[in-house]
């Protein structure tokens, strides 16, 4: 079955960077885009960006341009999301997610979430 | 960016009630709309996509309708497991955007 397993919680200081991993199993990793979505406590979901694991092509929300980098290691079926210049407003749960199927479908498979806390 | 607006923000209902949640886009998204259910501490769970297609394994009491800019999620008979937060998402164009969520509470 499709599974996305994320790395554990992180505590970072303002100005630092964080790198969250998302290991996929149960399907061909290079066949489906990986998206990253975050959610601050008590707030709604916020889409951050996507990556095609086959080509490495990426797309980012304007809000995060210049601070976010999504990469992958196809040998271990893992995607990464790195966010730099962290501020307190970046404290949130970060999710990786995959479309239900190729093209024309939304996010049907989600990781368990990674809590990133930014605090001095 | 496409803005998604849900109403109401909170809804109080009883088991067995029919519940309707509305989601509006500030420009046409055709039928590229999804509905998710989320419970505290858990990742969102996809209920409906392409405005009205029920995701595999989702109970038939959930249904979706609409196209263009106005969409609805209906729960025909609310069950105890349905008390949760529901949000819509447009995937017509990047950046994908979500509604702010509707919390369905026990009356």
């Amino acid at each position: 079955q499709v599974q996305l397993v994320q790395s554990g919680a992180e505590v970072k200081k303002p100005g630092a960077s964080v790198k969250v991993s998302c290991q996929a199993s149960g399907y061909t990793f290079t066949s489906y885009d990986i998206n990253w979505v975050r959610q601050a406590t008590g707030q709604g979901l916020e889409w951050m960006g996507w990556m095609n694991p086959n080509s490495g092509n990426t797309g980012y929300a304007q809000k995060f341009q210049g601070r976010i980098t999504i990469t992958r290691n196809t040998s271990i079926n893992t995607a990464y999301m790195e966010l730099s210049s962290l501020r307190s407003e970046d404290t949130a749960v970060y999710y990786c997610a995959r479309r239900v199927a190729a093209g024309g479908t939304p996010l049907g498979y989600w990781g368990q979430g990674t809590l990133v806390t930014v605090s001095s | 960016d496409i803005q998604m607006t849900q109403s109401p923000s909170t809804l109080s209902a009883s088991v067995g009630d029919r519940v309707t949640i509305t989601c509006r886009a500030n420009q046409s998204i055709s039928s590229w709309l999804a509905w998710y259910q989320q419970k505290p501490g858990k990742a969102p769970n996809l209920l409906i996509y392409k405005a009205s297609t029920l995701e595999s394994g989702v109970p038939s009491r959930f249904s979706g309708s609409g196209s263009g800019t106005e969409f609805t999620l209906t729960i025909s008979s609310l069950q105890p497991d349905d008390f949760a937060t529901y949000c819509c998402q447009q995937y017509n164009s990047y950046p994908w955007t979500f509604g702010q969520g509707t919390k369905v509470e026990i009356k």
Side-chain angles (χ1 to χ4, degrees):
Chain A
Q1 73 281 22
V2 174
Q3 279 196 302
L4 299 172
V5 178
Q6 298 181 222
S7 48
E10 303 263 12
V11 179
K12 296 292 183 180
K13 293 195 181 300
S17 297
V18 68
K19 191 171 185 177
V20 179
S21 69
C22 171
Q23 185 167 38
S25 62
Y27 72 98
T28 302
F29 177 62
T30 51
S31 293
Y32 299 90
D33 295 349
I34 290 288
N35 288 256
W36 289 87
V37 176
R38 76 177 186 179
Q39 185 172 39
T41 302
Q43 302 300 307
L45 296 162
E46 183 173 35
W47 181 83
M48 302 178 71
W50 66 269
M51 179 193 63
N52 180 316
N54 185 45
S55 64
N57 289 345
T58 55
Y60 304 129
Q62 182 71 26
K63 175 177 180 176
F64 301 104
Q65 286 279 0
R67 287 207 302 142
I68 186 173
T69 306
I70 301 175
T71 57
R72 88 291 194 208
N73 183 336
T74 56
S75 66
I76 56 172
N77 295 341
T78 299
Y80 304 90
M81 188 284 300
E82 185 169 19
L83 191 63
S84 62
S85 303
L86 290 169
R87 34 211 189 227
S88 59
E89 310 90 88
D90 294 318
T91 295
V93 175
Y94 290 76
Y95 294 101
C96 63
R98 198 210 89 175
R99 288 182 186 262
V100 174
T105 59
L107 303 172
Y109 299 97
W110 294 69
Q112 81 276 19
T114 297
L115 175 62
V116 175
T117 302
V118 183
S119 174
S120 55
Chain B
D1 298 3
I2 298 175
Q3 184 177 349
M4 307 300 293
T5 304
Q6 277 183 244
S7 60
S9 298
T10 308
L11 189 159
S12 296
S14 303
V15 172
D17 284 354
R18 182 181 181 88
V19 165
T20 298
I21 299 168
T22 298
C23 178
R24 289 184 175 87
N26 67 350
Q27 63 186 81
S28 177
I29 57 170
S30 185
S31 295
W32 303 115
L33 184 101
W35 288 98
Y36 298 88
Q37 177 193 70
Q38 190 176 24
K39 296 184 178 180
K42 298 293 187 182
N45 180 45
L46 178 66
L47 299 175
I48 287 169
Y49 62 96
K50 211 171 180 185
S52 61
T53 302
L54 202 64
E55 169 65 339
S56 176
V58 174
S60 59
R61 62 182 179 271
F62 292 93
S63 64
S65 65
S67 66
T69 62
E70 189 151 339
F71 303 87
T72 59
L73 172 70
T74 300
I75 309 173
S76 61
S77 177
L78 200 65
Q79 298 302 300
D81 190 49
D82 300 338
F83 292 96
T85 298
Y86 295 84
C87 72
C88 59
Q89 180 223 342
Q90 67 81 17
Y91 55 105
N92 177 74
S93 60
Y94 288 120
W96 289 353
T97 46
F98 294 84
Q100 79 279 14
T102 295
K103 185 175 183 180
V104 177
E105 299 180 326
I106 301 173
K107 192 173 186 179

